[in-house]
Amino acid sequence: MSEHETEEPRRLNFLEALVEEDLASGRDGGRVCTRFPPEPNGYLHIGHAKAICINFGMAEKYGGACNLRFDDTNPTKEDVEYVDSIQEDVRWLGWQWDGEPRYASDYFEQLYAWAEELIEKDLAYVCDLNQEETREHRGTATTPGTNSPYRDRTPEENLALFRRMRAGEFPEGSCSLKAKIDMASPNFNMRDPVLYRIMHAHHHRTGDAWCIYPMYDFTHGQSDAIEGITHSLCSLEFENHRPLYEWFLENLSVPSQPRQTEFARLNLTYTVMSKRKLRELVESGAVNGWDDPRVPTLSGMRRRGYTPAAVRNFIDTIGVARFNSTIDLVVLENAVRDDLNKTAARRMAVLDPVKVVITNYPEGESELIEAVNNPEDDSAGTRQIPFGREVWIEREDFREEASRKFRRLVPGREVRLRYAYCITCDEVIKNADGDITELRCTYDPETANGQTPDGRKVKGIIHWAPAEAVDLEVRLYDNLFKDPDPEDVPEGVDWRENLNPDSLQTITAKGEPALADAAPGDRVQFERKGYFCADSGDSKPGAPVFNRTVTLRDTWAKIEKRDAGA
RNA sequence: UACCCCGUGGUGUAAUUGGCAACACAUCUGGUUUUGGUCCAGACGUUUCAGGUUCGAGUCCUGGCGGGGUAACCA
């Protein structure tokens, strides 16, 4: 459209640069294949969204494929509930994995064969040390480990033992299969890591077929190799595992040579991201389930009203590097505001209503006011709102006394009711407790439709709801934690003490009649208040329930706060 | 403490083979506006430190300082 269409292509992040180098050198025959490998032991959160967008995005950008692979090697922690929710979340974000979902458990037979291959090469042995003894033999940061007394068993002996492990002849913990690498290595991962452990546990996919299960390290790289993954992108904490990842690829007859590259995971202020901590919040009842709109799970964010586009744009703007950083939550909020500003229909709702009686408006009469549905989108059209002698306005939009800066309703001053008339407050009615129960105002009939025939400027504009308003249950969400870094607590203090007691406030609001018919999942902007989403679980046409996704940017609140501080 | 990784404005991400440090968000100031929203314009400010190589260092080398990761039969 514009003449400066020659927009500079976005600079490459270090992963894109790496892939382009590989493409240029013909490393994988010009092929790019990535994977997203979640363990099905919990719900996906916004941190996973980063990994998802990086892996799927890289495949999309370079004409490759991205697999969805469940890393299901620990049957005691995993469940189909999670494999279902993970697929739903990935699809919700708008990504499509290549073919069917894969499972590491599909490769158990091959992995087992590779374990025997290692034994035959005298690179693995069955060790009878128990867990505690194994830890003791591993040594410490400053002292090398000591060899297991079982390290020199012959390949024949090991093979027989390993087959008996598989056959279920041994109890859990009695022995394990270990790689024979180097107990003196400065990298703990290379000090004879455990490859297989005995678990007499039922697996959600393989049932009771196995009683030995491979460890992550023995599974991940080989699974990548089986699937022809070219770029195995994972988070920074696997950096020290890379030498082991490569050791298996070198010593086993694998079909391809994937390469692992690490990037920094996402941290956000005012929230926690670890699965363990999220689980604690859910199980302790601090929040109402994995899809509570206050937790950063994708299902929670979806319920809160976040859009896939907002999440993807967010991930796009934060970039990716190898530096551990923390993104300010407002960046996420801006991303959803930016998307919803363009797409959400405007409606009027009064969250904390106070009655206004327009004394010079003819009793018993009413009219219809036309309102724009979305000033950012002409095609959204207009709607009609009833207007009469009584309306609701926001309690905070009235003050008995206020400075000039307060551009709202004050006795003797004039404001415009959005899309309707200008009113002037004449009288304040209070109850015995001194609470304001009613404001008596007069309107200027000449000020319909934004007009002021005498040309006077009325700067204040406030939203309102008609007497025919419907009651809306509205859930006002705030940050889950009071502190930007909730996990940073002094010794002995529980991080949950940082929980914000006011993270959820439920109120009844007055909304324009059209809001009664909201369908679950509908997103709207309540003018001047924020973006809201009809709750996907509890909202019903006729009995709407709205979750606040995010407030609008509030410049006035900022001014007041600053002036109060000064 | 041992090993590995990382240090660029308030925050996050860029900077071709070494060549005038850029973009976004935040903040501040103005403008537009029937949302104190949106949008537009401007301002603000930076290479962790000390040496070295070089005509020239954010980039290369050495050392210090600071931050993170790892020490599960979890992933």
Side-chain angles (χ1 to χ4, degrees), chain A residues 45-46 49-50 53 92-93 298 301-302 306-318 332 335-336 339:
Chain A
H45 53 63
I46 183 73
K50 178 175 181 181
C53 291
W92 177 71
L93 279 176
L298 293 177
M301 292 174 66
R302 179 162 61 231
Y306 271 81
T307 59
V311 174
R312 286 175 62 156
N313 288 339
F314 166 71
I315 298 298
D316 222 49
T317 60
I318 60 173
L332 215 210
V336 74
D339 186 38

mmCIF file of all heavy atoms in Angstrom, chain A residues 45-46 49-50 53 92-93 298 301-302 306-318 332 335-336 339:
data_model
loop_
_atom_site.group_PDB
_atom_site.id
_atom_site.type_symbol
_atom_site.label_atom_id
_atom_site.label_comp_id
_atom_site.label_asym_id
_atom_site.label_seq_id
_atom_site.Cartn_x
_atom_site.Cartn_y
_atom_site.Cartn_z
ATOM 1 N N HIS A 45 1.980 -24.138 29.711
ATOM 2 C CA HIS A 45 1.861 -22.739 30.124
ATOM 3 C C HIS A 45 2.529 -21.826 29.099
ATOM 4 O O HIS A 45 3.062 -22.304 28.084
ATOM 5 C CB HIS A 45 2.426 -22.548 31.531
ATOM 6 C CG HIS A 45 3.825 -23.058 31.721
ATOM 7 N ND1 HIS A 45 4.892 -22.539 31.026
ATOM 8 C CD2 HIS A 45 4.316 -24.050 32.509
ATOM 9 C CE1 HIS A 45 5.992 -23.177 31.401
ATOM 10 N NE2 HIS A 45 5.675 -24.101 32.290
ATOM 11 N N ILE A 46 2.515 -20.534 29.407
ATOM 12 C CA ILE A 46 3.009 -19.552 28.443
ATOM 13 C C ILE A 46 4.486 -19.775 28.120
ATOM 14 O O ILE A 46 4.950 -19.457 27.024
ATOM 15 C CB ILE A 46 2.741 -18.111 28.961
ATOM 16 C CG1 ILE A 46 3.182 -17.039 27.956
ATOM 17 C CG2 ILE A 46 3.387 -17.872 30.310
ATOM 18 C CD1 ILE A 46 2.302 -16.925 26.757
ATOM 19 N N ALA A 49 4.618 -22.052 25.418
ATOM 20 C CA ALA A 49 4.228 -21.393 24.168
ATOM 21 C C ALA A 49 5.461 -20.872 23.445
ATOM 22 O O ALA A 49 5.526 -20.878 22.219
ATOM 23 C CB ALA A 49 3.243 -20.260 24.443
ATOM 24 N N LYS A 50 6.450 -20.430 24.229
ATOM 25 C CA LYS A 50 7.689 -19.962 23.598
ATOM 26 C C LYS A 50 8.368 -21.113 22.865
ATOM 27 O O LYS A 50 8.751 -20.987 21.702
ATOM 28 C CB LYS A 50 8.628 -19.368 24.656
ATOM 29 C CG LYS A 50 9.952 -18.892 24.103
ATOM 30 C CD LYS A 50 10.798 -18.212 25.177
ATOM 31 C CE LYS A 50 12.116 -17.711 24.590
ATOM 32 N NZ LYS A 50 12.953 -17.064 25.621
ATOM 33 N N CYS A 53 6.307 -22.047 19.770
ATOM 34 C CA CYS A 53 6.427 -21.101 18.657
ATOM 35 C C CYS A 53 7.810 -21.148 18.024
ATOM 36 O O CYS A 53 7.952 -20.963 16.819
ATOM 37 C CB CYS A 53 6.091 -19.686 19.125
ATOM 38 S SG CYS A 53 4.334 -19.481 19.522
ATOM 39 N N TRP A 92 -4.788 -24.881 19.537
ATOM 40 C CA TRP A 92 -5.385 -23.575 19.820
ATOM 41 C C TRP A 92 -4.445 -22.450 19.382
ATOM 42 O O TRP A 92 -4.864 -21.438 18.832
ATOM 43 C CB TRP A 92 -5.694 -23.453 21.318
ATOM 44 C CG TRP A 92 -6.248 -22.119 21.713
ATOM 45 C CD1 TRP A 92 -7.488 -21.620 21.426
ATOM 46 C CD2 TRP A 92 -5.582 -21.099 22.473
ATOM 47 N NE1 TRP A 92 -7.628 -20.361 21.957
ATOM 48 C CE2 TRP A 92 -6.471 -20.016 22.612
ATOM 49 C CE3 TRP A 92 -4.313 -20.997 23.066
ATOM 50 C CZ2 TRP A 92 -6.148 -18.843 23.301
ATOM 51 C CZ3 TRP A 92 -3.993 -19.833 23.746
ATOM 52 C CH2 TRP A 92 -4.903 -18.791 23.859
ATOM 53 N N LEU A 93 -3.156 -22.666 19.622
ATOM 54 C CA LEU A 93 -2.185 -21.660 19.212
ATOM 55 C C LEU A 93 -2.088 -21.565 17.691
ATOM 56 O O LEU A 93 -1.463 -20.653 17.165
ATOM 57 C CB LEU A 93 -0.807 -21.977 19.796
ATOM 58 C CG LEU A 93 -0.578 -21.567 21.252
ATOM 59 C CD1 LEU A 93 0.800 -22.034 21.719
ATOM 60 C CD2 LEU A 93 -0.696 -20.060 21.427
ATOM 61 N N LEU A 298 -1.919 -22.213 29.349
ATOM 62 C CA LEU A 298 -2.590 -21.779 28.125
ATOM 63 C C LEU A 298 -4.102 -21.927 28.284
ATOM 64 O O LEU A 298 -4.867 -21.093 27.786
ATOM 65 C CB LEU A 298 -2.072 -22.574 26.923
ATOM 66 C CG LEU A 298 -0.596 -22.274 26.591
ATOM 67 C CD1 LEU A 298 -0.107 -23.128 25.440
ATOM 68 C CD2 LEU A 298 -0.412 -20.802 26.272
ATOM 69 N N MET A 301 -5.210 -18.922 30.300
ATOM 70 C CA MET A 301 -5.176 -17.705 29.507
ATOM 71 C C MET A 301 -6.303 -17.684 28.480
ATOM 72 O O MET A 301 -6.901 -16.642 28.205
ATOM 73 C CB MET A 301 -3.820 -17.565 28.816
ATOM 74 C CG MET A 301 -2.694 -17.309 29.815
ATOM 75 S SD MET A 301 -1.068 -17.317 29.058
ATOM 76 C CE MET A 301 -1.195 -15.869 28.022
ATOM 77 N N ARG A 302 -6.585 -18.840 27.931
ATOM 78 C CA ARG A 302 -7.693 -18.951 26.966
ATOM 79 C C ARG A 302 -9.002 -18.563 27.652
ATOM 80 O O ARG A 302 -9.804 -17.824 27.124
ATOM 81 C CB ARG A 302 -7.760 -20.400 26.466
ATOM 82 C CG ARG A 302 -8.866 -20.683 25.472
ATOM 83 C CD ARG A 302 -8.571 -21.976 24.713
ATOM 84 N NE ARG A 302 -8.481 -23.134 25.591
ATOM 85 C CZ ARG A 302 -7.478 -24.003 25.585
ATOM 86 N NH1 ARG A 302 -6.462 -23.846 24.757
ATOM 87 N NH2 ARG A 302 -7.463 -25.031 26.414
ATOM 88 N N TYR A 306 -7.469 -14.414 26.449
ATOM 89 C CA TYR A 306 -6.337 -14.227 25.550
ATOM 90 C C TYR A 306 -6.632 -14.876 24.204
ATOM 91 O O TYR A 306 -7.311 -15.901 24.142
ATOM 92 C CB TYR A 306 -5.063 -14.829 26.156
ATOM 93 C CG TYR A 306 -4.328 -13.826 27.017
ATOM 94 C CD1 TYR A 306 -4.733 -13.579 28.320
ATOM 95 C CD2 TYR A 306 -3.260 -13.101 26.509
ATOM 96 C CE1 TYR A 306 -4.097 -12.632 29.108
ATOM 97 C CE2 TYR A 306 -2.606 -12.152 27.290
ATOM 98 C CZ TYR A 306 -3.027 -11.918 28.574
ATOM 99 O OH TYR A 306 -2.395 -10.973 29.337
ATOM 100 N N THR A 307 -6.106 -14.297 23.150
ATOM 101 C CA THR A 307 -6.277 -14.882 21.824
ATOM 102 C C THR A 307 -4.968 -15.538 21.395
ATOM 103 O O THR A 307 -3.889 -15.135 21.841
ATOM 104 C CB THR A 307 -6.607 -13.787 20.790
ATOM 105 O OG1 THR A 307 -5.541 -12.830 20.775
ATOM 106 C CG2 THR A 307 -7.920 -13.078 21.131
ATOM 107 N N PRO A 308 -5.065 -16.543 20.525
ATOM 108 C CA PRO A 308 -3.835 -17.156 20.001
ATOM 109 C C PRO A 308 -2.943 -16.121 19.335
ATOM 110 O O PRO A 308 -1.722 -16.142 19.513
ATOM 111 C CB PRO A 308 -4.355 -18.169 18.977
ATOM 112 C CG PRO A 308 -5.745 -18.476 19.405
ATOM 113 C CD PRO A 308 -6.276 -17.218 20.027
ATOM 114 N N ALA A 309 -3.550 -15.187 18.610
ATOM 115 C CA ALA A 309 -2.744 -14.165 17.926
ATOM 116 C C ALA A 309 -1.965 -13.335 18.935
ATOM 117 O O ALA A 309 -0.798 -13.001 18.712
ATOM 118 C CB ALA A 309 -3.648 -13.266 17.083
ATOM 119 N N ALA A 310 -2.615 -13.003 20.052
ATOM 120 C CA ALA A 310 -1.939 -12.196 21.070
ATOM 121 C C ALA A 310 -0.743 -12.955 21.636
ATOM 122 O O ALA A 310 0.340 -12.395 21.806
ATOM 123 C CB ALA A 310 -2.911 -11.826 22.186
ATOM 124 N N VAL A 311 -0.934 -14.232 21.920
ATOM 125 C CA VAL A 311 0.153 -15.034 22.486
ATOM 126 C C VAL A 311 1.301 -15.149 21.486
ATOM 127 O O VAL A 311 2.475 -14.978 21.823
ATOM 128 C CB VAL A 311 -0.348 -16.435 22.893
ATOM 129 C CG1 VAL A 311 0.811 -17.314 23.345
ATOM 130 C CG2 VAL A 311 -1.388 -16.318 24.009
ATOM 131 N N ARG A 312 0.953 -15.387 20.238
ATOM 132 C CA ARG A 312 2.007 -15.557 19.234
ATOM 133 C C ARG A 312 2.742 -14.247 18.980
ATOM 134 O O ARG A 312 3.965 -14.240 18.815
ATOM 135 C CB ARG A 312 1.421 -16.138 17.946
ATOM 136 C CG ARG A 312 1.082 -17.620 18.119
ATOM 137 C CD ARG A 312 0.386 -18.223 16.938
ATOM 138 N NE ARG A 312 1.192 -18.206 15.715
ATOM 139 C CZ ARG A 312 1.007 -19.043 14.712
ATOM 140 N NH1 ARG A 312 0.049 -19.964 14.783
ATOM 141 N NH2 ARG A 312 1.748 -18.967 13.635
ATOM 142 N N ASN A 313 2.016 -13.155 18.941
ATOM 143 C CA ASN A 313 2.686 -11.869 18.757
ATOM 144 C C ASN A 313 3.598 -11.552 19.932
ATOM 145 O O ASN A 313 4.685 -11.006 19.773
ATOM 146 C CB ASN A 313 1.653 -10.742 18.591
ATOM 147 C CG ASN A 313 0.962 -10.815 17.248
ATOM 148 O OD1 ASN A 313 1.469 -11.421 16.306
ATOM 149 N ND2 ASN A 313 -0.211 -10.230 17.169
ATOM 150 N N PHE A 314 3.124 -11.905 21.110
ATOM 151 C CA PHE A 314 3.939 -11.704 22.308
ATOM 152 C C PHE A 314 5.258 -12.461 22.186
ATOM 153 O O PHE A 314 6.339 -11.900 22.369
ATOM 154 C CB PHE A 314 3.165 -12.163 23.544
ATOM 155 C CG PHE A 314 4.005 -12.310 24.779
ATOM 156 C CD1 PHE A 314 4.504 -11.196 25.435
ATOM 157 C CD2 PHE A 314 4.304 -13.565 25.277
ATOM 158 C CE1 PHE A 314 5.289 -11.327 26.579
ATOM 159 C CE2 PHE A 314 5.079 -13.713 26.420
ATOM 160 C CZ PHE A 314 5.572 -12.599 27.066
ATOM 161 N N ILE A 315 5.162 -13.738 21.868
ATOM 162 C CA ILE A 315 6.364 -14.564 21.743
ATOM 163 C C ILE A 315 7.288 -13.989 20.678
ATOM 164 O O ILE A 315 8.513 -13.976 20.816
ATOM 165 C CB ILE A 315 5.987 -16.029 21.392
ATOM 166 C CG1 ILE A 315 5.144 -16.657 22.492
ATOM 167 C CG2 ILE A 315 7.241 -16.852 21.111
ATOM 168 C CD1 ILE A 315 5.815 -16.771 23.830
ATOM 169 N N ASP A 316 6.684 -13.476 19.637
ATOM 170 C CA ASP A 316 7.442 -12.898 18.559
ATOM 171 C C ASP A 316 8.235 -11.668 18.998
ATOM 172 O O ASP A 316 9.376 -11.472 18.584
ATOM 173 C CB ASP A 316 6.463 -12.482 17.462
ATOM 174 C CG ASP A 316 6.998 -12.835 16.100
ATOM 175 O OD1 ASP A 316 7.432 -13.990 15.939
ATOM 176 O OD2 ASP A 316 6.993 -11.945 15.232
ATOM 177 N N THR A 317 7.614 -10.844 19.829
ATOM 178 C CA THR A 317 8.275 -9.599 20.187
ATOM 179 C C THR A 317 9.367 -9.785 21.241
ATOM 180 O O THR A 317 10.290 -8.979 21.306
ATOM 181 C CB THR A 317 7.284 -8.549 20.730
ATOM 182 O OG1 THR A 317 6.656 -9.081 21.888
ATOM 183 C CG2 THR A 317 6.234 -8.212 19.705
ATOM 184 N N ILE A 318 9.266 -10.815 22.062
ATOM 185 C CA ILE A 318 10.250 -10.949 23.133
ATOM 186 C C ILE A 318 11.577 -11.520 22.651
ATOM 187 O O ILE A 318 12.586 -11.411 23.329
ATOM 188 C CB ILE A 318 9.734 -11.807 24.306
ATOM 189 C CG1 ILE A 318 9.392 -13.215 23.826
ATOM 190 C CG2 ILE A 318 8.539 -11.127 24.946
ATOM 191 C CD1 ILE A 318 9.038 -14.146 24.971
ATOM 192 N N LEU A 332 3.072 -8.723 27.893
ATOM 193 C CA LEU A 332 2.026 -9.694 27.554
ATOM 194 C C LEU A 332 0.671 -8.992 27.464
ATOM 195 O O LEU A 332 -0.116 -9.211 26.543
ATOM 196 C CB LEU A 332 1.959 -10.768 28.648
ATOM 197 C CG LEU A 332 1.628 -12.225 28.329
ATOM 198 C CD1 LEU A 332 0.929 -12.897 29.482
ATOM 199 C CD2 LEU A 332 0.885 -12.439 27.037
ATOM 200 N N ALA A 335 0.206 -7.058 24.400
ATOM 201 C CA ALA A 335 -0.021 -7.892 23.218
ATOM 202 C C ALA A 335 -1.508 -8.223 23.079
ATOM 203 O O ALA A 335 -2.055 -8.205 21.978
ATOM 204 C CB ALA A 335 0.798 -9.175 23.306
ATOM 205 N N VAL A 336 -2.167 -8.496 24.193
ATOM 206 C CA VAL A 336 -3.582 -8.851 24.085
ATOM 207 C C VAL A 336 -4.427 -7.594 23.862
ATOM 208 O O VAL A 336 -5.419 -7.615 23.134
ATOM 209 C CB VAL A 336 -4.074 -9.682 25.291
ATOM 210 C CG1 VAL A 336 -4.248 -8.843 26.543
ATOM 211 C CG2 VAL A 336 -5.365 -10.414 24.953
ATOM 212 N N ASP A 339 -4.275 -6.780 20.128
ATOM 213 C CA ASP A 339 -5.112 -7.648 19.287
ATOM 214 C C ASP A 339 -6.598 -7.345 19.499
ATOM 215 O O ASP A 339 -7.360 -7.176 18.552
ATOM 216 C CB ASP A 339 -4.813 -9.115 19.615
ATOM 217 C CG ASP A 339 -5.535 -10.064 18.667
ATOM 218 O OD1 ASP A 339 -5.634 -9.737 17.468
ATOM 219 O OD2 ASP A 339 -6.022 -11.106 19.131
#
